[in-house]
Amino acid sequence: MNLWLRFLWLLLTMRFRAKAGPFETTTLRMTVMPNDLDINGHVNNGRYFTLADLGRLDFTARTGFLGAALRRRAAPIVGDAMAKFRKDLKLFQRFEMQTRVLGWDEKWAFLEHRFVRHGRVLGVVVMRGVFRARSGPIKPAELLTEMGLSTQSPPLPEWVLQWHQSCEAMGEALRGEERT
């Protein structure tokens, strides 16, 4: 239930949030609630991915990506995600989730969500995703052109490129299993 309340709160307060540029970092401030916790008393590892969904909604809405995608009747789809945890978040602790775009290629956009408390990064969720219309995925460059922005991606960090290649290899392996 807590996630739905956060989602509704985000929707209700969206129009009061400042617009952001596509390369700016957006920030959501949150508090750890009881149903965010696992049996060890800290935020459940799966909850980080769920909270990142809210960060992406906020980011894409404030930067204009969501509006451009909706005009094309496209929906955001996460293809792959990974997380790195450094320190846990406990009940009623306040934290910030900072979301930014890392870059894109012909198909995928890469976003990073940093969970920060007192200036320290406690965890990171990175995802690659697309906006998908009925006709298929929309290239990130097409959305940027529609928004009147440069279509040149900043250089992706080497670790993102390696992760991206691993995701592609895993996808190929899974498609191979489906054929047998």
Side-chain angles (χ1 to χ4, degrees):
M1 186 59 174
N2 162 296
L3 179 65
W4 286 106
L5 293 175
R6 284 180 172 148
F7 177 71
L8 288 173
W9 180 253
L10 184 64
L11 291 179
L12 290 172
T13 60
M14 189 69 69
R15 66 176 180 224
F16 302 112
R17 296 180 191 282
K19 298 290 182 201
F23 299 107
E24 291 182 48
T25 299
T26 59
T27 301
L28 286 178
R29 288 169 183 79
M30 297 185 197
T31 301
V32 176
M33 301 306 288
N35 61 339
D36 293 326
L37 305 178
D38 61 16
I39 60 172
N40 295 318
H42 58 235
V43 173
N44 177 295
N45 58 359
R47 182 62 83 174
Y48 284 94
F49 291 101
T50 303
L51 294 172
D53 288 342
L54 296 176
R56 265 189 312 284
L57 174 60
D58 179 64
F59 177 84
T60 58
R62 290 173 60 189
T63 57
F65 285 109
L66 185 61
L70 292 177
R71 284 191 293 278
R72 298 185 67 173
R73 299 182 188 265
I77 306 292
V78 173
D80 303 278
M82 70 170 179
K84 174 67 179 162
F85 307 108
R86 295 183 65 212
K87 184 161 176 43
D88 57 358
L89 278 167
K90 298 200 178 279
L91 186 62
F92 300 124
Q93 287 184 329
R94 305 245 330 125
F95 66 96
E96 292 183 345
M97 181 178 25
Q98 301 169 353
T99 302
R100 68 183 179 125
V101 68
L102 296 172
W104 56 89
D105 68 7
E106 281 294 309
K107 178 180 179 182
W108 301 100
F110 300 87
L111 274 74
E112 174 187 73
H113 307 280
R114 290 178 173 239
F115 295 81
V116 179
R117 179 169 162 75
H118 300 305
R120 182 173 181 195
V121 178
L122 307 178
V124 178
V125 170
V126 178
M127 59 74 59
R128 69 178 194 159
V130 297
F131 283 101
R132 180 177 291 280
R134 287 180 192 239
S135 60
I138 298 174
K139 294 179 181 181
E142 289 179 28
L143 282 181
L144 289 161
T145 299
E146 184 172 319
M147 295 166 59
L149 300 169
S150 169
T151 60
Q152 183 66 36
S153 173
L156 288 167
E158 185 60 34
W159 64 267
V160 172
L161 293 172
Q162 290 173 4
W163 174 65
H164 175 46
Q165 290 170 351
S166 295
C167 291
E168 291 296 311
M170 182 183 284
E172 284 299 317
L174 291 172
R175 282 188 285 284
E177 287 178 15
E178 291 173 355
R179 291 184 204 120
T180 59

